[in-house]
Amino acid sequence: RIKEELAEGKPLRESIEEGFRRAWDSIRDSNFSSLITCAILFYFGSSIIRGFALNLALGILISMFTAITLTRTFLLVAAESPLKDKLFLWNKPKQKRKDHFAIIKNSKYFGGLSIVTSIVALAMIVIFGFNLGIDFTGGTQLEMKAPAESGMSQETLTGSIIEVEEATQADFGTPHVVATDEGSYLIRIKHVSEEEHDALTAKFAEKFGEGVEELRFTTVGPVIGETLKTKAMIALVITAIMIVLYIAFAFRKIPKNVSPWRFGVSAVVALLHDLLIVIGIFVVLGHFFDIEIDALFITALLTVMGFSVHDTIVVFDRIRENLKFQKEGETLAQVTNHALNQTMARSFNTSLCVLITLIAMLIFGPESTRNFLLALVIGIAIGTYSSVFVASALLVWWNGGKKA
């Protein structure tokens, strides 16, 4: 926003003050929508998910504080220093930004792409179904590790599990054993009792020696798994409803004849488009690569919802601002296209910074968070696309592209 004020020919200090003043509504509304998802994650999540939600909320609040106080203070101090005359350091545009991209005019192509990908994603869900993890189906997951010379492998682990099953007359189902990149093995079987778990670990120690380690043990009963599934669906629905209500409230003073409810519903439709594609991709990955949908995946979806709406509100806020200065004869389509050209670089740059961090964590992070990070990477990339090319186009279409 400061760059835009500088392009208008305003002095540096005035540009800083005006840039922060005009950006405040966007900062407030977009971050508050993300805090809504944090609150719902905290209310419906388990202890680990609650910790993630709390840290995310604290990060958002601290980031808001530093952006509107510390960053502003540092910029104002710099504006009184010798740096104020070196406007190239402030990246002052050489000329006022022009609308180079006819996004709304070509929205039928972007809309067609979104419809096709959504249909394909829905078809994949129907054809392949969900590969649900033990969080939702119930069951037990163990992660075992032993020295290389112990002879631990997928085959020997499976054989040991079957031996314990026969000896205890238990029902472990079909053992599912997968090797990880860290040299350990993830074992998934049906829900086991404490005695059966003790029998398994004793058998592993006997088979592979005293160097065997149990790195993880998670067990979820079928009733708890069904409860978690229901709570996950409720969390997603409540988040969508709360976002519609908040956007409608935040945009209640929208100028001219554009309903604030249409802003809220358009944002949520774009949001559902993002979630559908992410879920469709994970259904395909689950079918071919055995990637499971678990509680962390639902956490990733709710986080994507917050980020996607955050980005969409930034665009909608600029539409709201531009409507205040709408010229005679200017249509909502023209106002919206101008807003998209103004905010597109900001949206892409912000998302790129987030994606660089997430991709680094995806590549170098632990196996246990890989699917969670993958869902975030896919979701944020698609959410950035939809905030620019789907949500605003839907808003214009709903209003007939007419003068607002």
Side-chain angles (χ1 to χ4, degrees):
R1 294 310 301 263
I2 296 172
K3 287 169 58 180
E4 292 179 21
E5 300 303 321
L6 287 171
E8 295 282 351
K10 295 179 182 178
L12 178 58
R13 186 178 181 87
E14 183 182 343
S15 297
I16 294 172
E17 295 280 13
E18 191 68 9
F20 273 93
R21 186 186 67 80
R22 291 193 171 189
W24 165 243
D25 287 347
S26 174
I27 294 171
R28 179 197 62 211
D29 294 340
S30 58
N31 282 290
F32 195 84
S33 67
S34 297
L35 288 172
I36 289 174
T37 63
C38 291
I40 293 171
L41 272 172
F42 188 85
Y43 184 78
F44 286 99
S46 60
S47 57
I48 295 176
I49 295 173
R50 284 184 172 185
F52 170 80
L54 181 60
N55 279 286
L56 182 60
L58 288 174
I60 292 170
L61 291 171
I62 294 170
S63 176
M64 282 182 64
F65 172 77
T66 56
I68 63 181
T69 56
L70 298 181
T71 304
R72 178 174 174 272
T73 301
F74 291 150
L75 288 173
L76 289 174
V77 169
E80 299 300 326
S81 72
L83 295 175
K84 67 180 180 181
D85 299 321
K86 298 178 174 58
L87 291 180
F88 70 91
L89 294 175
W90 301 82
N91 200 19
K92 178 185 178 180
K94 294 181 179 179
Q95 59 183 3
K96 193 174 179 180
R97 185 189 297 273
K98 296 181 180 179
D99 294 347
H100 296 293
F101 304 102
I103 298 171
I104 297 300
K105 182 179 178 180
N106 296 299
S107 60
K108 59 184 177 181
Y109 302 112
F110 302 121
L113 176 63
S114 294
I115 290 171
V116 169
T117 51
S118 297
I119 291 173
V120 170
L122 193 59
M124 294 299 99
I125 293 170
V126 172
I127 294 170
F128 296 136
F130 297 108
N131 182 26
L132 298 175
I134 65 170
D135 292 334
F136 301 125
T137 61
T140 297
Q141 189 174 65
L142 301 92
E143 184 174 2
M144 306 300 299
K145 190 173 185 179
E149 63 273 11
S150 67
M152 180 178 283
S153 66
Q154 291 172 275
E155 293 75 18
T156 55
L157 281 168
T158 301
S160 298
I161 293 168
I162 293 173
E163 289 178 26
V164 173
E165 183 179 37
E166 293 173 350
T168 59
Q169 296 184 334
D171 180 17
F172 295 156
T174 303
H176 190 71
V177 184
V178 178
T180 70
D181 295 341
E182 287 79 22
S184 60
Y185 292 87
L186 287 174
I187 304 167
R188 181 180 170 185
I189 54 179
K190 287 185 177 181
H191 177 66
V192 300
S193 65
E194 187 177 344
E195 293 76 15
E196 291 164 345
H197 171 242
D198 292 341
L200 283 169
T201 53
K203 184 65 178 180
F204 294 151
E206 175 190 332
K207 184 87 172 180
F208 306 111
E210 294 301 323
V212 66
E213 294 180 80
E214 184 183 63
L215 304 180
R216 190 195 318 175
F217 172 67
T218 306
T219 186
V220 179
V223 175
I224 295 175
E226 194 64 34
T227 301
L228 288 174
K229 192 190 304 182
T230 303
K231 289 178 72 174
M233 292 301 300
I234 292 172
L236 291 171
V237 172
I238 290 178
T239 302
I241 293 172
M242 290 296 293
I243 287 172
V244 171
L245 292 175
Y246 178 72
I247 294 177
F249 173 77
F251 284 71
R252 67 193 183 281
K253 295 181 180 179
I254 193 78
K256 310 293 182 180
N257 189 30
V258 183
S259 168
W261 290 101
R262 294 185 180 184
F263 280 88
V265 174
S266 297
V268 169
V269 170
L271 188 60
L272 295 176
H273 154 274
D274 302 341
L275 298 187
L276 182 60
I277 294 175
V278 174
I279 293 170
I281 291 173
F282 263 74
V283 164
V284 173
L285 293 175
H287 180 76
F288 291 103
F289 301 101
D290 201 36
I291 291 179
E292 296 177 343
I293 291 177
D294 54 15
L296 276 180
F297 177 76
I298 301 300
T299 305
L301 288 186
L302 287 167
T303 307
V304 167
M305 289 176 77
F307 189 92
S308 179
V309 170
H310 180 286
D311 229 17
T312 301
I313 286 178
V314 170
V315 179
F316 281 0
D317 179 74
R318 188 58 69 91
I319 295 172
R320 173 175 59 184
E321 181 180 325
N322 289 351
L323 284 172
K324 297 177 182 178
F325 307 101
Q326 187 178 14
K327 299 175 183 177
E328 185 67 29
E330 192 175 23
T331 65
L332 177 62
Q334 292 170 323
V335 171
T336 302
N337 194 73
H338 184 50
L340 288 168
N341 276 270
Q342 289 175 309
T343 57
M344 185 163 52
R346 179 263 179 209
S347 295
F348 288 161
N349 289 336
T350 302
S351 297
L352 183 60
C353 290
V354 175
L355 287 173
I356 288 172
T357 304
L358 290 175
I359 290 171
M361 292 171 65
L362 179 65
I363 295 172
F364 300 108
E367 180 81 21
S368 57
T369 61
R370 195 154 293 171
N371 294 343
F372 170 71
L373 292 168
L374 179 61
L376 286 181
V377 168
I378 296 170
I380 288 174
I382 295 171
T384 304
Y385 165 82
S386 71
S387 67
V388 175
F389 299 105
V390 177
S392 300
L394 179 61
L395 178 68
V396 172
W397 172 80
W398 198 351
N399 286 277
K402 62 192 178 196
K403 180 179 177 181

